[in-house]
C-alpha cells in the first residue's frame, strides 16, 4: 500500500497520501506500479471522451473528433499535474540550447525555472501530435483503447528506464532516487501486465473490440517500449545519467508514439487485419 500511494502521489493528482519522506526502496516499488497509474488516468480520460462524444453527437467523422481528443489529452495532462510536460520542456531546453552543449551546462539549464524556446516548441508539437493521433484513432473507432494503451505505455517507459545500472545524472532529486531502483523481475511483470491489459482492452473495446485491436494494442506497447529505450539511451548519453525531467519527457514522448501507432492504418496485405 505505501508503494501504491507513493505511485499515485508522484505521478498523478489523485488524492493518495504518500509517505512524508521518500525512500529508494519505496520509490522503486512505486515506479514498478507506474503503469497502474496510467491505467487509472487512461480510464478517467476515456470516460470523459466517450461522455463528450455522446453528449455532443460526434459519431466518428474526422471533423467531429478533434474536440473529444483535445479534452482527452487535457485530462491526461491535468491528471499528472502537468509535471511530465514540464519535464519534456526542461529536457528540450537542456539538450537543444546552443550554449548548453556540455553536460553540466545542460543540467544547469534544465534546473532553471523558466521555459525556453526549445521547451515551448517541444511541448506544443508533442501535444499537437497526441491530439491529432487520438482524433484519428477516434475516427476509426479505436479511441478508447488507444487512450488506455498510450497512458499505460507512457508510464511503463518510466518503469523500464529505472531498471539496470543506469546512473543518476545528479546526486539529488527524483532521478537519484529512481535510477536503478526497479528490480528486473518487477519491470518484466510490469511489461507483461501492460501487454495483457492492452490485449483485453482491444478485445473488449467500447468502440467494437476484436482480436485485431487486441493484437494492435500489444504491438503498440512493444513499439512504444522500443522507442522509449532509444530515447532514454540518447538522453542518458547526453546528460550522463537519469533525471526526473528525463522520466517526464519519456512518458510524454512514448504516449505520443503509442497513440500514433494506434491511429495508423496498414495497407499491406500482411497487416490488413491490423488496419481494421
Amino acid at each position: 500500500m505505501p508503494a501504491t500511494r507513493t505511485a499515485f502521489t508522484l505521478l498523478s493528482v489523485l488524492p493518495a497520501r504518500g509517505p512524508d519522506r521518500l525512500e529508494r526502496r519505496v520509490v522503486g516499488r512505486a515506479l514498478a506500479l507506474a503503469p497502474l497509474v496510467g491505467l487509472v488516468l487512461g480510464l478517467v480520460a476515456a470516460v470523459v471522451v466517450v461522455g463528450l462524444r455522446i453528449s455532443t453527437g460526434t459519431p466518428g467523422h474526422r471533423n467531429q473528433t478533434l474536440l473529444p481528443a483535445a479534452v482527452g489529452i487535457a485530462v491526461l495532462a491535468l491528471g499528472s499535474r502537468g509535471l511530465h510536460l514540464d519535464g519534456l520542456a526542461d529536457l528540450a531546453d537542456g539538450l537543444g540550447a546552443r550554449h548548453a552543449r556540455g553536460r553540466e551546462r545542460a543540467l544547469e539549464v534544465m534546473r532553471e525555472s523558466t521555459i525556453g524556446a526549445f521547451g515551448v516548441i517541444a511541448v506544443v508539437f508533442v501535444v499537437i501530435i497526441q491530439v491529432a493521433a487520438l482524433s484519428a484513432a477516434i475516427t476509426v473507432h479505436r479511441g478508447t483503447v488507444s487512450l488506455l494503451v498510450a497512458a499505460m505505455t507512457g508510464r511503463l517507459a518510466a518503469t523500464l528506464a529505472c531498471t539496470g545500472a543506469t546512473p543518476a545524472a545528479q546526486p539529488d532529486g527524483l532521478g537519484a532516487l529512481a535510477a536503478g531502483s526497479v528490480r528486473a523481475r518487477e519491470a518484466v511483470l510490469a511489461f507483461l501486465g501492460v501487454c495483457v491489459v492492452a490485449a483485453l482492452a482491444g478485445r473488449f473495446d467500447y468502440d467494437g473490440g476484436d482480436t485485431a485491436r487486441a493484437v494492435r494494442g500489444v504491438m503498440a506497447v512493444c513499439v512504444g517500449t522500443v522507442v522509449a529505450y532509444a530515447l532514454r539511451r540518447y538522453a542518458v548519453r547526453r546528460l550522463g545519467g537519469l533525471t526526473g525531467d528525463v522520466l517526464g519527457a519519456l512518458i510524454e514522448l512514448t504516449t505520443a508514439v503509442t497513440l500514433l501507432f494506434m491511429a495508423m492504418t496498414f495497407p499491406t496485405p500482411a497487416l490488413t487485419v491490423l488496419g481494421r
Side-chain angles (χ1 to χ4, degrees), residues 176-262:
L177 285 173
S181 64
V182 180
R183 293 182 293 182
R185 181 181 65 179
E186 295 173 337
V188 171
L189 290 175
F191 175 78
L192 294 177
V194 171
C195 288
V196 169
V197 176
L200 292 174
R203 181 64 183 84
F204 301 102
D205 183 26
Y206 165 83
D207 284 326
D210 53 23
T211 303
R213 284 177 172 80
V215 174
R216 178 186 287 270
V218 175
M219 290 187 65
V221 174
C222 295
V223 170
T225 299
V226 171
V227 173
Y229 175 76
L231 292 171
R232 186 202 67 171
R233 281 182 60 89
Y234 173 74
V236 169
R237 186 172 68 250
R238 287 288 306 274
L239 300 175
L242 201 66
T243 70
D245 289 333
V246 172
L247 294 178
L250 283 177
I251 290 174
E252 291 297 337
L253 292 170
T254 305
T255 299
V257 170
T258 308
L259 284 171
L260 277 174
F261 185 87
M262 291 298 296

Side-chain angles (χ1 to χ4, degrees), residues 79-92:
S80 62
R81 294 176 291 176
L83 290 178
H84 308 326
L85 289 173
D86 180 68
L88 172 64
D90 288 341
L91 180 64

Side-chain angles (χ1 to χ4, degrees), residues 115-209:
I115 297 179
F118 282 98
V120 173
I121 292 171
V123 170
V124 168
F125 278 100
V126 168
V127 170
I128 288 175
I129 291 171
Q130 291 178 353
V131 171
L134 179 56
S135 176
I138 295 174
T139 301
V140 293
H141 306 289
R142 290 194 292 264
T144 306
V145 64
S146 296
L147 261 177
L148 292 178
V149 173
M152 288 191 300
T153 307
R155 277 73 186 171
L156 176 65
T159 300
L160 300 179
C162 297
T163 60
T166 302
Q170 302 175 97
D172 54 2
L174 180 60
L177 285 173
S181 64
V182 180
R183 293 182 293 182
R185 181 181 65 179
E186 295 173 337
V188 171
L189 290 175
F191 175 78
L192 294 177
V194 171
C195 288
V196 169
V197 176
L200 292 174
R203 181 64 183 84
F204 301 102
D205 183 26
Y206 165 83
D207 284 326

Side-chain angles (χ1 to χ4, degrees), residues 69-79 131:
V71 172
I73 297 303
V75 170
L76 285 183
L78 293 174
V131 171

